[in-house]
Amino acid sequence: MSSERVIPLAEPDLRGNEEAYLRECIRTGWVSSAGPFVGRMEARIAGLCGRAHAIATASGTTALQLVLAALGIGAGQRVAVPDWTFAATANAVIHAGAVPVLVDVHRDHWSLDADRLAEAFDDAERCGQPIATVIAVDPLGLPADFDVLVEVCRRRGAVLIEDAAGALGSFYKGRPAGGLADAGILSFNGNKIVTGGGGGAIVTDREVWAHRARHLSMQARADERYAYDAVGFNYRLTNLNAAVVVAQLERLGTMLAARRAIAQAYTAVLSGRDDLAPPPAPPWAEWNGWMYVVRAASVEAAADLVAHLRRQGISARPFWLALSSQAAYAQFPRKIAGASAWLSGRVVSLPCASTLSESEVARVVAGLASWRGPALQR
Ligand SMILES: *Cc1c(COP(=O)(O)O)cnc(C)c1O
């Protein structure tokens, strides 16, 4: 036991051409945001998401900020976001000067609840501040119910953005995640399914948005002189980060297969139990297995599971807390029905990196098998 390592929650899998491509960057001097790997990465990402354009960005967060800027979202406008998400989804809206409307998720699939979204549209129209844009998140890498969300947004004349930060390699009714809305964003942070150390991308078919996003990501420089035609950002990805992403993408199939095998092993040991539930498995989704979580009956039970696993050298952590429950977001409008609170603190993330050995997966399985908690209630 003492000779075994603590099994990490997330860990990059850098066993391909990552090192070779980084050396190539250094040897050729292409370390900054111009360079061949950035273009190669963009072409691969656009292809994987089934979209015409991909724009590489410094992170998933800056991809969100940039796509909002490209759409012209700004002061006073309202943007609906799920209440149960990573902070960056809402923060990008706030940093744009717009107002996030926190909308509840659905208990069955943990992504944006289309009925609550429709109610949020009604509320916003009633008070004369309509929702111009919706950001739907693919939680755990699991696609939200986009056919329904697209229809709600179409009826209201709103733009739909997919925060597919961790969803690369997932599919919705056979269509690739990232390409399910008017525009999508991906993250290549260290804990995501594919990493560049850091990085992100915007994907879209809309040429005007793609062009504007790319332009704004490089300070909106109009020509060779220091002349600008807008107030831009420095959000472009470096060739170093893109080199790592390109190497990772070469092994995407292998890494996805490893993630799915781990998810299967965990789900198998949960079968028939009444105290822990596996992630949702909505009928429309083919899941990439990015973030494996279990749901416990209470916040106390979840904390007890985390402590139990940690005693056995297994990292585990409570997952997202509802934004609406946090002081930093207290001032923002919301349409909440209790699902995000029901998930908060009860969902625990487990180690699911593609680097885990078979014996490490077996240790996590044994850790789950040796814990008992109170029965789940709906
Ligand atoms: C990771 C993540 C982001 C942010 O991506 P970064 O690359 O870390 O900036 C945004 N949204 C969701 C849902 C995420 O999981």
Side-chain angles (χ1 to χ4, degrees):
M1 174 89 219
S2 55
S3 64
E4 291 169 329
R5 67 166 185 163
V6 173
I7 302 175
L9 253 189
E11 178 176 63
D13 184 343
L14 305 168
R15 294 175 288 184
N17 282 322
E18 288 82 358
E19 188 175 341
Y21 291 172
L22 284 171
R23 283 178 185 280
E24 190 177 324
C25 293
I26 290 163
R27 193 169 41 79
T28 58
W30 291 110
V31 294
S32 194
S33 54
F37 285 112
V38 182
R40 272 168 73 182
M41 168 185 153
E42 289 179 332
R44 291 280 336 259
I45 293 296
L48 284 167
C49 295
R51 290 302 191 199
H53 308 280
I55 300 94
T57 59
S59 65
T61 302
T62 51
L64 281 164
Q65 292 183 265
L66 201 54
V67 77
L68 292 173
L71 263 62
I73 300 298
Q77 287 188 284
R78 297 203 163 199
V79 179
V81 301
D83 188 37
W84 197 69
T85 183
F86 187 64
T89 318
N91 292 352
V93 174
I94 300 163
H95 290 312
V99 177
V101 180
L102 308 175
V103 177
D104 214 341
V105 295
H106 196 288
R107 286 187 192 224
D108 289 347
H109 49 81
W110 304 2
S111 50
L112 210 48
D113 183 330
D115 292 334
R116 301 292 88 72
L117 179 63
E119 290 166 11
F121 271 113
D122 289 341
D123 285 0
E125 274 159 29
R126 241 189 324 268
C127 64
Q129 291 176 303
I131 292 168
T133 305
V134 175
I135 307 178
V137 175
D138 300 330
L140 321 173
L142 204 56
D145 193 358
F146 274 94
D147 279 353
V148 175
L149 295 172
V150 163
E151 181 53 25
V152 172
C153 289
R154 192 193 57 77
R155 254 188 281 133
R156 309 286 181 147
V159 170
L160 181 60
I161 297 170
E162 178 184 9
D163 179 345
L168 188 68
S170 288
F171 290 84
Y172 175 82
K173 301 181 186 178
R175 310 200 298 273
L180 300 173
D182 296 310
I185 74 96
L186 299 170
S187 165
F188 304 109
N189 188 22
N191 70 337
K192 298 303 201 283
I193 201 123
V194 158
T195 187
I202 298 170
V203 283
T204 185
D205 275 346
R206 310 273 186 109
E207 184 161 6
V208 173
W209 295 352
H211 182 265
R212 203 177 299 151
R214 187 184 302 278
H215 184 58
L216 286 172
S217 79
M218 298 182 284
Q219 310 285 18
R221 244 171 89 155
D223 66 20
E224 293 293 296
R225 295 167 302 139
Y226 288 91
Y228 313 95
D229 57 19
V231 179
F233 305 89
N234 176 16
Y235 283 172
R236 190 91 175 125
L237 190 69
T238 74
N239 200 50
L240 287 170
N241 297 110
V244 177
V245 172
V246 168
Q248 292 263 287
L249 290 175
E250 291 171 353
R251 294 173 54 249
L252 179 61
T254 312
M255 296 198 296
L256 287 171
R259 295 253 181 190
R260 293 203 186 104
I262 294 167
Q264 258 172 25
Y266 294 171
T267 297
V269 70
L270 298 177
S271 136
R273 285 178 68 158
D274 66 0
D275 58 348
L276 287 177
W284 59 74
E286 188 186 313
W287 185 38
N288 64 1
W290 168 49
M291 177 68 73
Y292 196 96
V293 299
V294 288
R295 185 172 55 84
S298 65
V299 173
E300 296 72 28
D304 187 63
L305 172 65
V306 168
H308 170 84
L309 293 173
R310 285 191 182 162
R311 279 194 295 275
Q312 298 173 50
I314 300 163
S315 304
R317 198 159 62 195
F319 201 53
W320 295 337
L321 293 177
L323 297 181
S324 61
S325 70
Q326 305 190 41
Y329 304 94
Q331 75 202 82
F332 299 117
R334 57 204 58 203
K335 179 55 74 180
I336 304 296
S340 57
W342 172 79
L343 290 168
S344 296
R346 291 175 177 79
V347 172
V348 171
S349 56
L350 300 179
C352 50
S354 52
T355 49
L356 297 190
S357 67
E358 266 176 48
S359 70
E360 288 173 332
V361 175
R363 274 171 63 199
V364 180
V365 165
L368 291 170
S370 60
W371 183 82
R372 279 286 173 273
L376 293 161
Q377 285 147 356
R378 242 194 92 82

